[in-house]
Amino acid sequence: MRLTRPMLAPAVAAVLALTGCGSGGDGGTAVPGTATGSLEHLAAEVRCEPDMQADADTVRQAICEKGDEKYILATFATDRGQREWINTAKDYGGHYLVGRKWVAVGHEDVLAGLRGRLGGTLEQGARHGGGTHSAGHAGHGG
C-alpha cells in the first residue's frame, strides 16, 4: 500500500489538532540510544495504551494520550516508507521525533519528554504563516 498525501493529511491534521502547535522547550535531557521494536513495544517504553488508528502492512499508527500529553506513534515496514511519510507530513508543519522505522508526532515539549525514553532525532515541519502564531493554524487550540 502506497501512502499518498490524501491518506496522510487526516492523520497529520488530527495530531496537530490534538496537540496544538507551539514552540519552546529545549529538550535538554540526556538522550538514550534510539529504541527499536514494534508499535506495542515502543508504546510500552513510554507507558502508552495505544489507540490504533491504522494497522496496515506498511504503516501502523496509534494515538497515545496521557493527561494533557497527546501524540501519534507510528511504525513503518521500511526505512523508505518512513522517510516518504515524514517528508509528506512535514508539509503540514508540526514536530517529529524520528527513530529507525518509527516516528512520534506531537507538540515539541511532549516529544522532548519522549526523546528521554526513546532516543531519536527531533525534526520540524514547515512553518506556516508569517504573522501571529495562529496565522495558518486556525481551528486548533494549544
Side-chain angles (χ1 to χ4, degrees):
M1 178 172 120
R2 179 159 162 64
L3 294 175
T4 62
R5 187 174 294 261
M7 294 169 60
L8 179 62
V12 174
V15 79
L16 292 175
L18 284 171
T19 63
C21 52
S23 60
D26 61 4
T29 59
V31 179
T34 302
T36 59
S38 68
L39 189 138
E40 290 80 7
H41 174 78
L42 295 169
E45 289 287 322
V46 294
R47 296 182 180 106
C48 158
E49 292 288 332
D51 178 10
M52 293 301 291
Q53 302 296 304
D55 194 357
D57 292 339
T58 56
V59 62
R60 299 183 72 222
Q61 181 174 299
I63 294 176
C64 289
E65 184 173 356
K66 189 176 189 180
D68 290 338
E69 294 184 357
K70 299 172 189 161
Y71 54 93
I72 286 180
L73 185 59
T75 57
F76 302 86
T78 65
D79 294 322
R80 180 179 176 181
Q82 175 192 21
R83 185 44 53 191
E84 288 175 354
W85 188 95
I86 292 168
N87 289 345
T88 301
K90 282 182 163 184
D91 289 344
Y92 296 93
H95 300 277
Y96 305 84
L97 178 62
V98 180
R100 179 133 197 291
K101 294 186 183 176
W102 61 265
V103 64
V105 184
H107 190 278
E108 71 180 311
D109 292 342
V110 172
L111 298 182
L114 293 177
R115 188 173 186 224
R117 300 184 77 80
L118 296 176
T121 304
L122 291 168
E123 297 185 20
Q124 183 172 342
R127 290 196 182 263
H128 299 287
T132 65
H133 180 266
S134 63
H137 291 296
H140 70 268

